[in-house]
Amino acid sequence: MRPTLQHKILAVCEQKIAQKGEGVGVSFYAFFANKNDDPELLMEAATWWIQTHRLDHFEKAQKIRRMVLAEQSQASAI
């Protein structure tokens, strides 16, 4: 996943957790405006969420944050 999408996901997860608490759930749609202005980025997020990780429609923001941070750590270790 491209770094810009990782940063966007992390920022949204942090914001949702700060607003609604540790148990808040998100879907990959939470990272995009209601208007589909970047279909390639949306498909990249959907592929990561659905095909790569087989996540449910809604997942805890904490879980998604941990997964993205783990991927960043793995990428920087290479």
Side-chain angles (χ1 to χ4, degrees), residues 32-77:
F32 301 93
N34 288 337
K35 185 177 173 185
N36 187 4
D37 57 355
D38 193 343
E40 287 182 17
L41 196 61
L42 177 64
M43 286 306 297
E44 185 175 338
T47 299
W48 181 87
W49 193 284
I50 298 166
Q51 289 183 325
T52 305
H53 295 288
R54 304 210 181 270
L55 298 170
D56 289 337
H57 184 75
F58 282 96
E59 294 286 349
K60 300 292 184 195
Q62 287 183 321
K63 175 181 179 178
I64 301 304
R65 181 179 61 191
R66 280 192 306 269
M67 291 172 71
V68 172
L69 289 172
E71 286 188 14
Q72 285 181 331
S73 294
Q74 288 173 349
S76 65

Side-chain angles (χ1 to χ4, degrees), residues 20-37:
K20 299 187 178 187
E22 296 290 321
V24 68
V26 294
S27 79
F28 67 88
Y29 291 114
F31 313 120
F32 301 93
N34 288 337
K35 185 177 173 185
N36 187 4
D37 57 355

Side-chain angles (χ1 to χ4, degrees), residues 1-12 68 72:
M1 177 185 340
R2 67 182 92 169
T4 55
L5 181 54
Q6 289 176 332
H7 294 316
K8 186 174 194 176
I9 289 171
L10 291 173
V12 169
V68 172
Q72 285 181 331

